[in-house]
Amino acid sequence: MAIDTAPAPARPTEAPQGRRKGGGNPSSLLTVLTWILALGFFSPVIWMVLTSFKQEAAAASSPPTFFFEPTLDQYRAVLAAGAGPYFLNSVIATGVSTVLVVVLAVPASYALSIRPVKKTQDVLFFFISTKMLPVVAVIMPIYVIAGQLNMLDNIWTLVILYTAMNLPIAVWMMRSFFQEVPAEVLEAAQMDGAGLLKTLRSVLMPMVAPGLAATALICVIFAWNEFFFALNLTAAKSATVPVFLVSQMTSEGLFLAKLSAASVLASLPVVLAGWIAQKQLVRGLSMGAVK
C-alpha cells in the first residue's frame, strides 16, 4: 500500500493584534478623536482672539470674514474706556482673598487630615454644603447687611465674600494633599523635637507645595471670574473685570470686536498664571489620584 508523503498544508498565520482585517489601530483612532474634540472645544477661543483684531464691520459680517487686515484699534478702545481700575479691583479682590483662603485652609485641612477632630465627616459635609446654596438665594440678605454697614461698592466686601466662597473647596483639596504625607515623616519630625508650627512650616508645606499651588490657582480662577456678587454689590468704585465686560455691550452700534478684545485682556492674567504654574498644577491635581 502506497503511503502519502505530501507535506501538510501550512496553517495560515494569525494576523498580529491591531492589524487584523477590518480593524485599525485603536490608539491612533483615539488620538485623532482627542485632537478633534480638543480643537472643537478650543475653537471659540481662537475665534474670539481673531475677532479682537478685526474692525467692527468685519466682526459682525455674515457670512463670517476669515481674511482681514489685523488691527489693534479695539485694544486701544478698551484701554481708553478706562479698563485699568476694573483690572486693579479684580487683582486686589482676587489676590487678597486667595491669600486669606490659603492661610485659613492650611490649618483647617491639617486638623481634618493629620490631626482629625471628632465627627470629621460631619465637619467636611458642613464645609461642602455651603457650596450647595444658590447664590441668588443669599444676595438679598448680603445686600441688606452690606448696606447697613456702609460696605456697598466696597472692594473689601468682595474680598470677604470671595474668601468665604473659595474656603470650602480649598479645605477639601488641601485635606487630600495632607493625607498623602507619610506618617513616618511626622513621627521623625516629632522625634527630632519639632513643634507643630515648625513641622507645618518646614516639613509639611514643602511636601504639599504642588497641591497648595493647584488650590491657590483654582481659587484665583473662581474669584477672577466671579460676576454675580460684583454686579449686585458694586457700582463705579469697586466694579471688577466681569462687570467691565458687560459694560462693553451696548444696545446701539456694533460692539463684538471690542468685546472680544476686552475678553482677551481679561483672560490673559489667568492664562499666564496657569502657564507659569503648570508643572505645580499638574503635580498638585494628580496628588491623591493614585494610591
Side-chain angles (χ1 to χ4, degrees):
M1 181 175 62
I3 300 177
D4 188 6
T5 58
R11 292 183 177 180
T13 58
E14 186 176 356
Q17 187 176 1
R19 295 184 178 179
R20 295 178 179 176
K21 185 177 180 181
N25 192 335
S27 61
S28 299
L29 183 60
L30 181 60
T31 301
V32 173
L33 182 60
T34 303
W35 274 104
I36 293 175
L37 291 176
L39 291 175
F41 280 111
F42 196 68
S43 57
V45 179
I46 299 176
W47 188 252
M48 178 185 69
V49 175
L50 292 177
T51 304
S52 67
F53 292 100
K54 295 180 179 180
Q55 295 290 350
E56 291 292 356
S61 64
S62 181
T65 302
F66 294 96
F67 301 97
F68 58 92
E69 183 179 354
T71 179
L72 296 177
D73 291 345
Q74 310 308 325
Y75 290 94
R76 297 189 187 98
V78 169
L79 298 177
Y86 296 91
F87 277 84
L88 180 60
N89 290 334
S90 285
V91 169
I92 295 174
T94 301
V96 176
S97 65
T98 301
V99 171
L100 290 177
V101 166
V102 171
V103 170
L104 295 174
V106 167
S109 56
Y110 174 85
L112 293 172
S113 57
I114 298 178
R115 295 288 186 269
V117 297
K118 292 183 179 180
K119 297 184 178 181
T120 300
Q121 296 300 324
D122 294 340
V123 174
L124 290 173
F125 178 77
F126 170 75
F127 272 115
I128 204 63
S129 65
T130 60
K131 301 297 296 180
M132 302 177 186
L133 182 66
V135 180
V136 69
V138 298
I139 188 60
M140 187 57 68
I142 292 176
Y143 185 89
V144 173
I145 294 173
Q148 292 178 349
L149 297 176
N150 294 322
M151 293 189 67
L152 290 175
D153 199 15
N154 191 320
I155 193 62
W156 300 108
T157 302
L158 296 183
V159 169
I160 296 173
L161 292 175
Y162 292 173
T163 302
M165 176 183 69
N166 289 326
L167 185 58
I169 300 176
V171 170
W172 271 75
M173 292 184 63
M174 289 303 302
R175 177 177 178 268
S176 64
F177 300 144
F178 276 121
Q179 286 180 329
E180 293 299 309
V181 177
E184 293 78 7
V185 175
L186 300 177
E187 295 175 358
Q190 292 177 353
M191 294 180 62
D192 291 339
L196 176 60
L197 293 180
K198 187 175 182 180
T199 301
L200 188 61
R201 181 180 66 252
S202 303
V203 178
L204 293 177
M205 294 308 297
M207 298 183 67
V208 300
L212 185 62
T215 303
L217 183 58
I218 289 177
C219 292
V220 166
I221 294 174
F222 286 167
W224 186 270
N225 294 334
E226 199 283 323
F227 174 70
F228 193 77
F229 285 138
L231 178 66
N232 290 278
L233 300 178
T234 64
K237 294 190 303 182
S238 303
T240 56
V241 170
V243 179
F244 173 74
L245 293 180
V246 174
S247 68
Q248 301 307 300
M249 301 174 62
T250 59
S251 58
E252 296 180 359
L254 301 177
F255 58 85
L256 186 57
K258 186 179 178 181
L259 179 62
S260 298
S263 301
V264 171
L265 292 177
S267 304
L268 280 180
V270 176
V271 173
L272 291 176
W275 180 74
I276 294 173
Q278 58 181 330
K279 291 184 179 180
Q280 290 78 7
L281 180 62
V282 173
R283 289 179 57 194
L285 293 178
S286 62
M287 291 179 66
V290 181
K291 292 285 186 178

